[in-house]
Amino acid sequence: MAKRSPSPEAVTAWARLMRVSRQLVEKTEDALKAGGLPPLAWYDVLHELAEAGEGGLRPFELIDRVLLAQYGVSRLLARLEAEGLVEKLPVSDDGRGQTVRITPSGRDMRRRIWTVYGASIAELMGDRLSADELKTLATLLARLRHPPIGN
Amino acid sequence: MAKRSPSPEAVTAWARLMRVSRQLVEKTEDALKAGGLPPLAWYDVLHELAEAGEGGLRPFELIDRVLLAQYGVSRLLARLEAEGLVEKLPVSDDGRGQTVRITPSGRDMRRRIWTVYGASIAELMGDRLSADELKTLATLLARLRHPPIGN
DNA sequence: TCCATATCGATGCATTTGCATCTATATGGA
DNA sequence: TCCATATAGATGCAAATGCATCGATATGGA
């Protein structure tokens, strides 16, 4: 089967996207480590659980939200639970599953991570592009999402 | 010390960038696996070495180009050498170092990876944004590079 | 020349990730 | 009701990664 070739513009944009996103992640992870804080993935999960409120979330609901594999979620939740940042509750109408809820100490950790994470975003994105440029960037990136959904 | 808060625009752009880049990498890695091909990192190294030509590159020169840690480069090169895709040559004027050169079979592998990788770029980027939009995206992303260099 | 320090690249060990599979419960059709 | 199949989540094992450190060579100053 014939494979297509990408346009030079597509290749350049791709290369920049790959390189920049990795640099930004690396810089942010470094800042978190320097502050004695856990990795970004912990923030992602704590953030989703905080948004979900008292009802919590089922582990399988986290898979798509934080872009982790099923076993990744399973193990990350085990670590978070061991640290007392989340709690697992049995769910009444499905004996296979559980509900995961953020604890007060989890909310506190989320806040502490955010002081570093947010500062990193401000420095690495906010300082480099104007509000308009950031909106343009966000709009273009939205068109690359999968599945492609409006906005 | 006081930490800054990022603007809402910066946060949105950041979130989109993180999510989209991970989705694109995942889709591309999946395509490579489906084709029985090695990961993207192998392509990155083979690409740099192919560009470098017969002179090859020193391992430490690859560190910044492919954004891997020193030990990551060391081990990846060991795997590539074991597969016969690169060869290590002693370098005359520095007894500590070596020069790494791509082999014919390495060039062939690079080509084979590109048929899948390039098609993935075409599908995931080229099909979704116009040439002008891709240029805009690339320009905005360039402003986020570290260190910030012109373009 | 000698020694302290820096650089290049490799590696032991612990942690993390990926893959495959497992157990347990749920669901739907015969 | 019973059984085949599907889904939720956990886990054993192998591979990859991160961290610290090592051995070897280079370099620069006393």
Side-chain angles (χ1 to χ4, degrees), chain A residues 3-136:
Chain A
K3 302 274 186 182
R4 291 182 307 148
S5 273
S7 70
E9 290 84 4
V11 173
T12 301
W14 178 278
R16 294 257 163 90
L17 181 57
M18 290 300 121
R19 172 160 275 261
V20 163
S21 61
R22 291 214 292 167
Q23 286 180 327
L24 298 182
V25 168
E26 191 186 336
K27 287 220 160 238
T28 303
E29 295 279 15
D30 285 352
L32 290 173
K33 266 174 221 159
L37 293 166
L40 278 180
W42 289 38
Y43 180 85
D44 290 345
V45 168
L46 292 175
H47 175 71
E48 292 298 333
L49 291 176
E51 298 258 289
E54 287 311 303
L57 286 176
R58 300 285 299 268
F60 71 85
E61 295 180 289
L62 279 166
I63 294 176
D64 10 291
R65 303 193 195 211
V66 300
L67 295 185
L68 282 180
Q70 180 269 322
Y71 55 80
V73 169
S74 175
R75 293 204 259 230
L76 180 43
L77 288 175
R79 277 173 236 155
L80 293 173
E81 186 185 31
E83 298 288 329
L85 304 177
V86 307
E87 55 190 351
K88 296 180 177 178
L89 312 162
V91 52
S92 51
D93 60 340
D94 188 340
R96 296 167 302 180
Q98 58 197 245
T99 288
V100 182
R101 197 164 58 187
I102 191 170
T103 64
S105 137
R107 290 182 189 275
D108 187 60
M109 175 61 85
R110 172 169 123 74
R111 250 176 255 118
R112 293 197 300 138
I113 299 177
W114 181 248
T115 62
V116 172
Y117 191 8
S120 181
I121 294 173
E123 178 195 338
L124 300 173
M125 298 227 61
D127 286 358
R128 293 168 184 278
L129 297 177
S130 71
D132 272 0
E133 289 168 331
L134 288 167
K135 280 185 205 163
T136 302

Side-chain angles (χ1 to χ4, degrees), chain B residues 47-148:
Chain B
H47 175 70
E48 293 298 333
L49 291 177
E51 299 257 292
E54 287 310 304
L57 286 176
R58 300 284 300 269
F60 72 85
E61 297 180 288
L62 279 166
I63 294 176
D64 9 291
R65 305 192 194 210
V66 302
L67 295 185
L68 282 180
Q70 181 270 322
Y71 54 81
V73 169
S74 176
R75 291 205 260 232
L76 180 43
L77 288 176
R79 275 172 239 154
L80 293 173
E81 187 186 29
E83 298 287 331
L85 304 176
V86 307
E87 54 191 350
K88 296 181 178 178
L89 313 162
V91 52
S92 51
D93 61 338
D94 188 339
R96 297 167 301 183
Q98 57 196 244
T99 289
V100 183
R101 198 165 57 186
I102 190 170
T103 64
S105 137
R107 290 183 189 275
D108 186 60
M109 174 61 86
R110 172 170 123 72
R111 251 174 255 121
R112 292 198 299 138
I113 299 177
W114 180 249
T115 63
V116 172
Y117 190 9
S120 182
I121 294 174
E123 178 195 339
L124 301 172
M125 298 227 63
D127 286 358
R128 292 168 185 278
L129 297 176
S130 72
D132 272 0
E133 289 168 331
L134 289 168
K135 281 185 203 162
T136 302
L137 177 59
T139 302
L140 290 172
L141 290 170
R143 306 256 305 277
L144 300 176
R145 280 183 299 198
H146 285 260

Side-chain angles (χ1 to χ4, degrees), chain A residues 138-151, chain B residues 16 19-20 23-24 27 124 128:
Chain A
T139 302
L140 290 172
L141 289 170
R143 305 255 305 279
L144 300 176
R145 281 183 299 201
H146 285 259
I149 43 182
N151 175 314
Chain B
R16 294 258 164 90
R19 172 162 276 262
V20 164
Q23 285 181 327
L24 297 184
K27 285 220 161 236
L124 301 172
R128 292 168 185 278

